[in-house]
């Protein structure tokens, strides 16, 4: 085929290119642009011509740089720039520059592709990546937390199991000792009955009673432990005279006092208080029991009860063996017994029960202790009702 009108042929080729082509002079004026270039910038072709190329480019310095030294290495490869459409919208463009001569004049050409869609996709992907990274980080953190929680509950479980085993050994021992004592006392009682030695027989009868009370107490403690563990303590508040309870419980504790050991009671309250008498009984009995066990003969244990405007305060002070400083933080833990008491009887559940009961009354318990000097436990119970019902006992 013979091409008669080559100019028309070139023009068709020029306008059917896949990329936009813009030719500009040294003054940056656009002298030629193909249809794809005009379309790309949103122009009708005739309006595009004559305008300055850098009106449509954000990185204007790049055009100047290219005009000054077009053979620079950086212009051998494509450049990514931001362009502006006729309406002022931002476009992401890929440019490759070139230089040419025509009738003694130098012209510059730019091959332009619109990469806006690609760029938006890339931005979206990188945003998704950031999101994903964040989510992975969060789930990693959560995973770490769950693992830490599992580890800690596992080690708690292991620790608890060890303590339970220790407790079973201790409890069996605790039951065995009074049971054998009861057995030998009853044998002796039978013997003294035969001999008609009433005094000796009664002495052993009292001993048996005391031992049975101790066994009973231990069983009670175990049942209470169950309540504390399953948090089913429901306080039953009522009006009562605290000193009546104190009198009863100290009488029950009398058989356990050591030689010349006694309990001094400081209780100024002569009116009825509104609390749970059963719980107060358990708390005070336990604290006094420990004070008796862990202090020596000829020592005084102080039980002080004080009613303040907003709370009731119970203090049990002994001058006994005290609690070793490095074990103080473990004292309220179930089954825990300090190193310095291992020779004496006990199961390590009393204080755990006391704490559970005190907390069921919204109260707090704390202690101060020094080894070989003594220990003071303080229980603070908020008043449930203002003690308006002041009725004094004569
Ligand atoms: P236990 O049956 O061993 O007495 P508790 O739960 O009542 O159990 O007490 C836990 C531990 O707290 C005791 O084994 C002992 O080490 C320490 N403890 C409690 N009260 C006293 C006290 N008054 N003096 C010294 N140590 C005490």
């Amino acid at each position: 085929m013979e091409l008669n009108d080559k100019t028309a042929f070139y023009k068709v080729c020029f306008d059917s290119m896949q990329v936009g082509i813009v030719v500009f002079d040294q003054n940056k004026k656009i002298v030629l642009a193909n249809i794809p270039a005009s379309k790309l910038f949103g122009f009708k072709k005739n309006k595009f011509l004559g305008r300055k190329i850098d009106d449509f480019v954000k990185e204007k310095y790049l055009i100047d740089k290219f005009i000054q030294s077009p053979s620079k290495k950086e212009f051998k490869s494509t450049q990514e720039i931001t362009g502006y459409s006729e309406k002022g919208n931002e476009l992401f463009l890929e440019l490759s520059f070139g230089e040419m001569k025509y009738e003694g004049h130098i012209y510059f050409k730019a091959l332009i592709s619109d990469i806006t869609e690609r760029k938006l996709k890339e931005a979206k992907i990188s945003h998704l990546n950031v999101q994903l990274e964040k989510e992975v980080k969060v789930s990693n953190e959560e995973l770490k937390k769950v693992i830490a929680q599992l580890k800690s509950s596992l080690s708690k479980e292991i620790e608890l199991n060890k303590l339970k085993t220790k407790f079973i050994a201790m409890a069996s021992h605790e039951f065995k000792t009074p049971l054998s004592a009861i057995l030998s006392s009853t044998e002796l009682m039978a013997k003294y009955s035969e001999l008609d030695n009433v005094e000796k027989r009664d002495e052993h009868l009292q001993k048996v009673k005391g031992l049975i009370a101790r066994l009973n107490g231990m069983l009670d403690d175990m049942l209470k432990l169950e309540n504390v563990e399953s948090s089913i303590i429901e306080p039953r508040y009522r009006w009562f005279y605290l000193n009546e309870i104190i009198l009863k419980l100290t009488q029950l504790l009398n058989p356990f006092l050591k030689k010349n050991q006694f309990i001094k009671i400081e209780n100024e309250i002569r009116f009825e208080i509104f609390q749970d008498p059963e719980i107060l009984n358990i708390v005070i009995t336990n604290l006094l029991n420990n004070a008796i066990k862990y202090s020596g003969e000829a020592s005084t244990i102080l039980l002080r009860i004080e009613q303040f405007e907003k709370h009731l305060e119970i203090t049990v002070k002994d001058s006994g063996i005290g609690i070793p400083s490095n074990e103080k933080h473990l004292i309220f833990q179930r089954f825990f017994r300090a190193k310095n008491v291992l020779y004496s009887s006990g199961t390590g559940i009393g204080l755990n029960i006391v704490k559970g009961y005190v907390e069921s009354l919204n109260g707090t318990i704390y202690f101060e202790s020094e080894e070989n000097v003594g220990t003071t436990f303080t229980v603070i119970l908020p008043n449930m009702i203002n003690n308006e019902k002041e009725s004094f006992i004569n």
Side-chain angles (χ1 to χ4, degrees), residues 2 55 57 65 69 71 123 141 158 166 235 274 279 309 319:
E2 187 72 21
D55 285 350
V57 174
K65 213 168 157 189
S69 32
S71 52
E141 292 299 312
I158 292 172
K166 209 167 113 189
F274 191 73
I279 294 184
E309 198 192 334
S319 35

Side-chain angles (χ1 to χ4, degrees), residues 290 293-294 318 322-323 331 336-338 341 346-351 375:
N290 280 348
K293 264 198 302 189
Y294 303 125
D318 66 53
I323 299 166
I331 280 310
F336 182 81
R337 306 201 70 220
V341 303
T347 50
I349 55 178
L351 282 184
T375 304

Side-chain angles (χ1 to χ4, degrees), residues 126-318:
S126 92
H127 175 72
L128 284 176
N129 274 344
V130 171
Q131 287 285 100
L132 199 69
E133 251 173 52
K134 268 190 204 158
E135 273 166 33
V136 168
K137 247 188 211 161
V138 169
S139 45
N140 260 351
E141 292 299 312
E142 273 167 10
L143 204 65
K144 272 187 203 158
K145 265 190 215 157
V146 171
I147 291 174
Q149 274 169 358
L150 279 177
K151 268 189 189 162
S152 115
S153 54
L154 185 68
S155 60
K156 269 189 199 147
E157 193 63 28
I158 292 172
E159 190 55 29
L160 202 64
N161 267 340
K162 273 191 207 156
L163 287 170
K164 274 186 177 160
T165 317
K166 209 167 113 189
F167 170 73
I168 289 166
M170 228 157 30
S172 329
H173 176 75
E174 287 297 297
F175 278 97
K176 233 170 141 185
T177 319
L179 281 173
S180 1
I182 289 172
L183 191 66
S184 69
S185 279
T186 45
E187 279 167 6
L188 286 171
M189 271 161 67
K191 193 175 130 197
Y192 291 127
S193 298
E194 275 171 27
L195 297 173
D196 257 351
N197 190 337
V198 181
E199 208 178 302
K200 278 276 179 195
R201 198 193 58 196
D202 280 355
E203 193 186 301
H204 281 282
L205 185 66
Q206 288 314 317
K207 202 172 162 190
V208 168
K209 275 188 182 168
L211 288 164
I212 289 175
R214 192 167 129 198
L215 284 174
N216 217 5
M218 278 182 346
L219 280 173
D220 270 355
D221 273 359
M222 285 185 201
L223 293 173
K224 280 173 207 133
L225 184 70
E226 185 65 28
N227 290 348
V228 171
E229 209 168 339
S230 48
S231 310
I232 52 163
I233 312 165
E234 276 175 20
R236 280 185 292 196
Y237 291 97
R238 65 177 173 84
W239 291 100
F240 64 98
Y241 289 105
L242 186 58
N243 47 3
E244 283 178 5
I245 286 177
I246 290 172
L247 191 69
K248 269 190 209 149
L249 71 87
T250 45
Q251 272 170 358
L252 283 173
L253 285 171
N254 265 341
F256 302 104
L257 285 169
K258 291 175 186 153
K259 203 172 161 199
N260 293 331
Q261 199 183 32
F262 77 99
I263 302 171
K264 185 181 171 202
I265 301 166
E266 283 179 12
N267 176 18
E268 296 299 321
I269 307 175
R270 294 286 174 270
F271 46 86
E272 284 186 303
I273 61 164
F274 191 73
Q275 281 290 351
D276 180 325
E278 291 301 320
I279 294 184
L280 253 62
N281 189 5
I282 295 167
V283 169
I284 300 171
T285 305
N286 258 291
L287 295 178
L288 284 176
N289 216 350
N290 280 348
I292 295 171
K293 264 198 302 189
Y294 303 125
S295 59
E297 292 180 355
S299 67
T300 303
I301 293 154
L302 176 69
L303 167 65
R304 188 191 299 129
I305 317 276
E306 286 170 284
Q307 177 67 64
F308 292 91
E309 198 192 334
K310 298 219 163 102
H311 68 272
L312 178 74
E313 197 169 301
I314 304 164
T315 316
V316 176
K317 184 173 193 279
D318 66 53

Side-chain angles (χ1 to χ4, degrees), residues 10-163:
Y10 286 146
K11 193 174 166 351
V12 170
C13 286
F14 190 55
D15 285 335
S16 63
M17 300 285 269
Q18 300 297 326
V19 291
I21 300 173
V22 174
V23 180
F24 52 96
D25 64 14
Q26 277 175 314
N27 296 320
K28 295 184 263 183
K29 204 166 91 185
I30 299 170
V31 292
L32 191 67
N34 67 352
I35 292 175
S38 311
K39 270 192 186 160
L40 201 147
F41 287 97
F43 275 104
K44 281 190 180 142
K45 198 179 172 187
N46 54 1
K47 284 202 177 171
F48 198 30
L49 297 182
R51 302 276 300 264
K52 282 200 159 186
I53 179 82
D54 57 3
D55 285 350
F56 307 102
V57 174
K58 192 175 183 179
E59 296 83 353
K60 300 183 195 321
Y61 68 93
L62 205 67
I63 308 286
D64 293 331
K65 213 168 157 189
F66 172 62
I67 292 174
Q68 270 163 29
S69 32
S71 52
K72 260 199 160 182
K73 203 176 165 199
E74 66 180 286
F75 297 114
K76 299 269 182 278
S77 50
T78 53
Q79 312 274 334
E80 282 188 9
I81 63 154
T82 312
Y84 299 112
S85 74
E86 194 222 349
K87 286 185 179 149
N89 296 333
E90 277 199 350
L91 305 164
F92 293 102
L93 305 175
E94 198 174 68
L95 286 192
S96 51
F97 289 110
E99 191 191 7
M100 60 188 199
K101 261 189 187 166
Y102 181 70
E103 290 182 351
H105 293 284
I106 295 176
Y107 292 95
F108 306 99
K109 60 185 176 208
L111 268 62
I112 311 170
S113 309
D114 186 353
I115 54 167
T116 307
E117 212 167 296
R118 194 183 88 199
K119 279 283 168 193
L120 290 177
K121 270 186 194 154
E122 278 173 11
K124 209 170 171 183
I125 288 171
S126 92
H127 175 72
L128 284 176
N129 274 344
V130 171
Q131 287 285 100
L132 199 69
E133 251 173 52
K134 268 190 204 158
E135 273 166 33
V136 168
K137 247 188 211 161
V138 169
S139 45
N140 260 351
E141 292 299 312
E142 273 167 10
L143 204 65
K144 272 187 203 158
K145 265 190 215 157
V146 171
I147 291 174
Q149 274 169 358
L150 279 177
K151 268 189 189 162
S152 115
S153 54
L154 185 68
S155 60
K156 269 189 199 147
E157 193 63 28
I158 292 172
E159 190 55 29
L160 202 64
N161 267 340
K162 273 191 207 156
L163 287 170

